Amino acid sequence: MTIKSNLLAVKQQIINACFQAQRDSADVKLLAVSKTKPTSAIEAAYAEGQKDFGENYLQEAVEKIESLQHLPDICWHFIGPIQSNKTRLIAEHFSWVHSVDRLKIAQRLNEQRRSQDTPLNVCLQVNISEETTKSGATAEEIIQLAQYVAESEHLVLRGIMAIPAKNAPIEHYQKMQTLFLQLAKQYDSVDTLSLGMSNDLTQAILHGSTMVRIGTAIFGTRT
Ligand SMILES: *Cc1c(COP(=O)(O)O)cnc(C)c1O
């Protein structure tokens, strides 16, 4: 019941932000971030029509993916930091990965994606607030990475992702929008700006986000 009403509230927030931004709310996809939450929570959201789920921790994610295989059209996104020895599990179990931030990871994902699967949808992670502790490439590195992904047989370049620092200035959102538009102009496959979490959803939508990643506002706080 709470997940149902939370989902409705988040969708209304998206509609309100789109109205403010004069955008079509159909252009903003909701990714439900289910990390640390049980499969019962995912099933509850799925029952309300939610199909896209984001996970951060690989072992946990793979267990959930396997136990929810019976749900048609469920779509899994990996959004956590990537260690190079974990790329095979990502390549074999996910439809999307939002956190590719270096060449070695892109190369391994391309090699390890099985030919019988559809190509892996890739967003490149930008370290927009330039925090040393956070993953992500610089805007300059993104240009090179984008070219590599766009030319890779088993990958599709969909766009860019960022986790702005708490209370990040507007300029960080503007930079993401500019970089996204630049890449979209260059590559036909680019249609995704993965930006916005529970606390900055409106700000992100005002700056062109096409996919918001919402955990807490749907599933409650994580312990
Ligand atoms: C946890 C997480 C989210 C969701 O954050 P909330 O604040 O709970 O909405 C979104 N994106 C990434 C990359 C995350 O790790």
Side-chain angles (χ1 to χ4, degrees), residues 33 35 56-57 79-81 125 161-163 196-199 213-218 220 222:
V33 176
K35 65 183 179 208
N56 288 51
Y57 311 110
I79 62 174
Q125 185 173 352
M161 178 275 242
I163 309 170
M197 314 198 335
S198 296
N199 287 324
R213 309 179 309 269
I214 309 297
T216 310
I218 297 173
R222 291 176 294 271

